[in-house]
Amino acid sequence: MSAPSSPGAAPPPEYLARLNPEQRAAVETLDGPLLVLAGAGTGKTRVLTTRFAHLLMTGRAQPHQVLAVTFTNKAAREMRERLGAILNRPVEGLWLGTFHALAARMLRRHAELVGLTSSFTILDTDDQTRLLKQVMEAEGVDLKRWPPNGLMGIIQRWKDRGLTPDRIPAAETSDYANNRAEKLYAAYQARLIALNACDFGDLLLHITEILRTNTEVLASYHRLFRYILVDEYQDTNLVQYLWLRLLAQGHKNICCVGDDDQSIYSWRGAEIENILRFERDFPGAQVVRLESNYRSTRPILAAAAGLIARNEGRLGKTLRPGRADASGERVRVVSLWDSEEEARMVGARIEEARRDGVSLGEIAILVRAGFQTRAFEERLITLAIPYRVFGGAKFYERAEIRDAIAYFRAMSQPADDLAFERIVNTPKRGLGDTAMAAMHKLAREQQMPLRVAAERLCQTDALRPRPRAALRELLENLSRWNAGLEKEGHVVIAAQVLEESGYIDMWKADRSIESAGRLDNLKELVRAMGDFATLGAFLEHIALVMENDDNSEGEKVSLMTLHAAKGLEFDMVFLPGWEEGLFPSQRSLDEGGAKSLEEERRLAYVGITRARRHCVISHAANRRIYGNWVSSIPSRFLDELPEGEVLREGGVTQQPRMPSSVFAAGLPLSSQRRPRVIEAGAWEVDQRPEREKAFARGTRVFHQKFGYGRVLAVDDDKLEIEFEKAGVKRVLDRFVEPA
């Protein structure tokens, strides 16, 4: 480490003078392994870039002698730009980039050692899927029972752990395809080599194998790289860790920057143990803690610190405010009666903040699960507040939601060719290009809807027997479902459509990371339909939502999951849905136990520390999930927040709604206004959602279709309303909101 400046000595360079003492220690500790524990908002990017510049400015290394590794191309670009700004010149010849980019660059130098040439092709996900399908078909695997996406996930997990087909231990084996996953993996790898190709997982797997087995190649990189810099070390997986360890065996000048309290990606292979065992892996390592936070106010930092202190698997640090204006309001914890009131509360506070001059671009709603966004999207649309969804499509734009809506349109609107074409072979029914071409040809020639053309084809021999039978079954189901709308109600039929069409089973069979979230979204869609009197009203609402959803520029509220929010910051952050089972996620706890609970807590910590000035956490006593009203228990994380740093509002007394099973069993209820609950396939659906609103004569209300109006008369749950633009209408109270 450089000696501290003595009195009368020349002042430090400007790039060092801008650093606080702990940041400067991280920059100037150049020899040997170094772990920089960089808390949220402590300036880790500045430290990493300044350290890189310092190595060059002091002559410790030439640009090509530093290996700098990031997780995203954006981070690599930012580091390159900041480095050039410090040095006041562009820097060429850098080994700076993502894990995969740097591994690919190395692999092209030594491709022949794994049977490839330097011009190998890197396959994208679609190409991987097609190749896996070919390999599985050649081995006689039933693709309907064992879809290729499931095998892709297993192989990627093995590659993330640095496991080649011949080195999979017993603990890592899989029963996929009747215990044939390892054989299929080997066949897939052989096919890749034959095609002179590799997938993204191979980039690190191959180069790590080369470094592990070829001492000359490893020694050449030891001579080349005098220093190694690694960003977001807490997010590394096992093969990335092995690759770095091999390269660091030379000069041992490896600096890893990360935050164990922000390790939230285990579901995609990240191993928090990599950062926790750094000092064991690199004996004599120094640890510098960056604890001065320049983002958030003192109460926000104190609340986050009190929460994360409950985790046992951490190296330990305590954030303190580094801002001059660190005082601020306490974190607000708002208790609400139900999830609908929660959405109204968030919308109202955003409107109030906008009136107070807060930019919409500085406001974020961060949810634990993707399906939660729908309620907030609808409320923001109602209030004409522009928003954008980060890290994914808006709720009604998601592929599975569009598919489901296409099913509902095709069922109820026989002339809707676009909807019918979207669902006719989704899931796969053997209706390929030939069958579609025949339907389109007949529809054009006879000037008839595509569905009618399909019915005509089923009466001929134009299609082969199997696709003809599949098409006939679909057409009969569409007619049967439509006929059941009046008797069973649109919510029940919607659930039946998704179940009986095979669409739900399609996603259940998909073993990708996204499949569980897609199923959650479909259940939320069915739940949302209970807010509308008919299927037609729901479809009209969707059309209006999509029409109002323009792409106008300007400031917008950010809506995203907590995972997508890492690395971002906002003046005002809303954290809704802090209830047991939702956050912490019951699915995560079931799969990972205590270890997953600690990651859920880290996720809560990440959420709180996104806020600069205002943080509002909320929970509802009742939440309607997948069609049922469910009594919710406040998240354990709320009790772990230090009392002195939070302001609790609402004080809702827990009066649980009667569970749906009671309604289904026909047990008596004291309330006469109870929802009708019907079993539909695997789901229970709430046909008549219970409302907790009472409208008096004269109350001003808002209706999604008719706009603003005033209540003229009340008859139980039916209201007579004079709307400002639509005149007098009779509507059910659950379709209006207090204005």
Side-chain angles (χ1 to χ4, degrees):
M1 180 171 174
S2 302
S5 301
S6 58
E14 183 182 355
Y15 67 86
L16 290 179
R18 294 196 296 262
L19 305 177
N20 66 33
E22 55 200 25
Q23 290 173 333
R24 186 164 174 181
V27 167
E28 294 186 294
T29 304
L30 299 178
D31 297 322
L34 172 69
L35 176 62
V36 180
L37 286 177
T42 57
K44 74 174 180 64
T45 304
R46 167 180 284 190
V47 165
L48 202 60
T49 308
T50 306
R51 180 182 173 87
F52 198 158
H54 191 58
L55 289 170
L56 304 184
M57 295 287 280
T58 58
R60 289 292 193 106
Q62 297 300 311
H64 66 276
Q65 293 177 314
V66 180
L67 178 68
V69 191
T70 67
F71 264 86
T72 65
N73 290 313
K74 179 182 176 183
R77 286 194 301 270
E78 184 178 354
M79 186 180 293
R80 188 183 298 272
E81 291 167 1
R82 290 194 183 193
L83 184 63
I86 294 174
L87 300 176
N88 201 27
R89 59 181 171 84
V91 185
E92 302 298 332
L94 297 174
W95 280 82
L96 166 61
T98 64
F99 278 96
H100 289 102
L102 294 170
R105 182 175 170 185
M106 288 183 179
L107 185 58
R108 292 200 186 276
R109 290 183 164 195
H110 314 288
E112 72 282 354
L113 296 177
V114 290
L116 299 169
T117 70
S118 60
S119 61
F120 63 79
T121 301
I122 302 174
L123 302 186
D124 61 20
T125 302
D126 288 341
D127 289 335
Q128 283 179 259
T129 303
R130 280 196 292 271
L131 185 58
L132 276 173
K133 184 177 179 181
Q134 293 173 15
V135 169
M136 295 170 74
E137 286 175 338
E139 293 292 331
V141 177
D142 182 352
L143 298 183
K144 290 184 178 179
R145 184 178 180 189
W146 308 103
N149 282 348
L151 180 60
M152 186 189 298
I154 294 168
I155 290 175
Q156 187 58 54
R157 187 190 76 209
W158 282 334
K159 291 185 178 183
D160 286 346
R161 298 189 64 75
L163 300 174
T164 54
D166 59 328
R167 292 173 49 226
I168 298 174
E172 298 281 351
T173 57
S174 170
D175 60 0
Y176 184 87
N178 298 320
N179 300 307
R180 285 187 285 175
E182 293 167 61
K183 182 181 179 181
L184 293 168
Y185 179 21
Y188 171 65
Q189 291 300 99
R191 187 79 179 111
L192 284 169
I193 297 297
L195 294 171
N196 192 36
C198 60
D199 59 28
F200 273 90
D202 285 326
L203 297 175
L204 277 156
L205 182 69
H206 283 327
I207 194 61
T208 301
E209 280 297 294
I210 290 171
L211 296 176
R212 189 179 66 84
T213 58
N214 194 303
T215 57
E216 290 185 8
V217 173
L218 181 60
S220 70
Y221 285 109
H222 287 167
R223 291 190 295 271
L224 176 61
F225 299 133
R226 296 180 60 85
Y227 292 90
I228 298 175
L229 306 177
V230 187
D231 192 15
E232 303 285 10
Y233 189 60
Q234 78 281 348
D235 292 335
T236 53
N237 61 33
L238 193 54
V239 74
Q240 291 164 343
Y241 161 82
L242 294 172
W243 179 69
L244 289 169
R245 278 203 67 184
L246 286 164
L247 293 171
Q249 287 174 2
H251 293 281
K252 294 184 170 59
N253 294 325
I254 181 171
C255 171
C256 294
V257 180
D259 184 3
D260 52 325
D261 290 334
Q262 296 189 73
S263 180
I264 58 174
Y265 297 121
S266 66
W267 49 273
R268 66 184 189 196
E271 299 268 359
I272 189 174
E273 289 79 9
N274 293 349
I275 193 169
L276 296 179
R277 67 185 176 210
F278 185 88
E279 292 177 89
R280 296 198 303 274
D281 289 337
F282 299 99
Q286 298 188 62
V287 178
V288 173
R289 288 171 167 81
L290 305 184
E291 298 176 308
S292 294
N293 175 285
Y294 295 94
R295 175 188 299 160
S296 306
T297 60
R298 188 204 61 76
I300 289 172
L301 294 179
L307 176 67
I308 200 63
R310 301 295 186 110
N311 271 8
E312 296 180 3
R314 61 190 298 259
L315 296 171
K317 64 183 175 306
T318 302
L319 294 181
R320 57 180 181 273
R323 293 170 28 175
D325 59 339
S327 59
E329 67 177 35
R330 288 180 287 174
V331 172
R332 295 176 183 267
V333 175
V334 184
S335 302
L336 299 149
W337 173 247
D338 61 22
S339 48
E340 295 175 359
E341 185 182 359
E342 182 180 54
R344 291 196 297 272
M345 179 276 293
V346 170
R349 295 195 185 209
I350 290 175
E351 284 194 308
E352 182 181 355
R354 181 160 61 170
R355 287 194 296 270
D356 291 342
V358 178
S359 166
L360 292 180
E362 290 295 342
I363 301 174
I365 305 170
L366 310 182
V367 298
R368 174 60 183 89
F371 75 85
Q372 291 176 262
T373 67
R374 188 203 61 81
F376 297 103
E377 288 186 57
E378 299 232 9
R379 190 61 190 165
L380 294 175
I381 290 170
T382 298
L383 298 173
I385 296 174
Y387 72 95
R388 58 185 150 202
V389 177
F390 275 78
K394 295 182 177 181
F395 186 83
Y396 291 114
E397 293 175 353
R398 294 166 184 167
E400 66 275 13
I401 300 303
R402 285 184 176 274
D403 285 346
I405 291 171
Y407 262 106
F408 305 152
R409 286 166 46 195
M411 168 188 66
S412 61
Q413 301 166 10
D416 192 330
D417 285 358
L418 292 176
F420 183 75
E421 186 172 11
R422 184 180 182 106
I423 60 96
V424 69
N425 202 38
T426 304
K428 299 293 184 185
R429 297 185 174 89
L431 299 168
D433 294 339
T434 301
M436 291 306 302
M439 280 185 269
H440 278 290
K441 183 174 183 293
L442 182 59
R444 284 194 305 270
E445 291 175 350
Q446 301 294 324
Q447 294 291 299
M448 60 179 61
L450 204 57
R451 180 170 161 183
V452 177
E455 291 170 348
R456 295 275 180 89
L457 282 177
C458 286
Q459 299 168 8
T460 71
D461 295 329
L463 300 179
R464 286 176 292 138
R466 287 187 64 183
R468 185 168 68 243
L471 182 58
R472 183 183 294 116
E473 181 183 8
L474 173 63
L475 293 169
E476 289 172 353
N477 281 337
L478 290 173
S479 297
R480 176 172 57 83
W481 293 326
N482 190 51
L485 278 173
E486 185 173 350
K487 178 181 178 182
E488 299 291 344
H490 62 292
V491 181
V492 173
I493 292 298
Q496 287 181 358
V497 167
L498 297 179
E499 285 281 357
E500 296 174 7
S501 66
Y503 193 72
I504 292 297
D505 287 338
M506 181 186 81
W507 287 118
K508 285 181 178 179
D510 188 303
R511 299 196 179 188
S512 66
I513 293 173
E514 296 84 8
S515 60
R518 293 185 191 274
L519 289 168
D520 286 347
N521 293 337
L522 290 168
K523 292 174 181 177
E524 174 64 13
L525 176 70
V526 173
R527 189 221 66 73
M529 296 175 73
D531 292 341
F532 298 85
T534 65
L535 178 61
F538 174 71
L539 293 175
E540 181 178 323
H541 168 72
I542 299 303
L544 292 172
V545 167
M546 301 301 286
E547 181 183 350
N548 292 334
D549 183 21
D550 60 37
N551 294 313
S552 60
E553 297 299 321
E555 299 296 335
K556 298 180 180 181
V557 172
S558 296
L559 183 55
M560 70 191 84
T561 65
L562 286 160
H563 283 102
K566 186 171 174 291
L568 303 178
E569 56 186 76
F570 305 89
D571 274 354
M572 174 175 277
V573 169
F574 292 92
L575 301 171
W578 281 42
E579 297 132 29
E580 286 294 305
L582 183 54
F583 193 36
S585 161
Q586 191 60 50
R587 181 184 295 138
S588 294
L589 299 186
D590 290 344
E591 293 175 357
K595 186 176 180 180
S596 289
L597 175 60
E598 295 218 339
E599 180 158 333
E600 290 286 297
R601 190 177 285 112
R602 291 194 294 271
L603 196 55
Y605 171 85
V606 166
I608 294 172
T609 54
R610 297 312 92 196
R612 296 193 196 102
R613 300 182 182 279
H614 309 283
C615 181
V616 180
I617 302 171
S618 58
H619 66 97
N622 304 279
R623 186 169 296 275
R624 194 158 46 181
I625 299 179
Y626 313 154
N628 300 312
W629 279 112
V630 178
S631 176
S632 300
I633 301 172
S635 170
R636 68 191 77 188
F637 298 154
L638 296 176
D639 292 332
E640 295 172 359
L641 296 170
E643 271 308 314
E645 310 301 340
V646 300
L647 180 63
R648 301 189 184 269
E649 302 178 11
V652 171
T653 303
Q654 198 80 4
Q655 295 179 6
R657 298 177 187 268
M658 199 66 72
S660 299
S661 57
V662 173
F663 300 139
L667 298 180
L669 295 176
S670 57
S671 170
Q672 297 301 308
R673 295 183 58 208
R674 61 185 184 228
R676 176 187 173 205
V677 176
I678 301 175
E679 294 252 352
W683 301 344
E684 282 188 350
V685 291
D686 182 351
Q687 180 112 352
R688 293 192 56 202
E690 186 177 1
R691 303 289 289 193
E692 301 304 323
K693 296 184 293 190
F695 293 92
R697 185 182 178 191
T699 302
R700 193 165 187 265
V701 296
F702 178 83
H703 188 280
Q704 181 70 37
K705 181 177 179 181
F706 302 129
Y708 290 98
R710 198 167 295 279
V711 176
L712 298 179
V714 180
D715 179 15
D716 190 28
D717 62 344
K718 292 176 280 294
L719 306 176
E720 185 173 277
I721 301 173
E722 183 175 10
F723 291 98
E724 295 171 0
K725 295 183 179 180
V728 177
K729 305 282 184 183
R730 285 180 63 83
V731 299
L732 295 174
D733 63 0
R734 64 178 177 271
F735 297 124
V736 297
E737 303 285 352

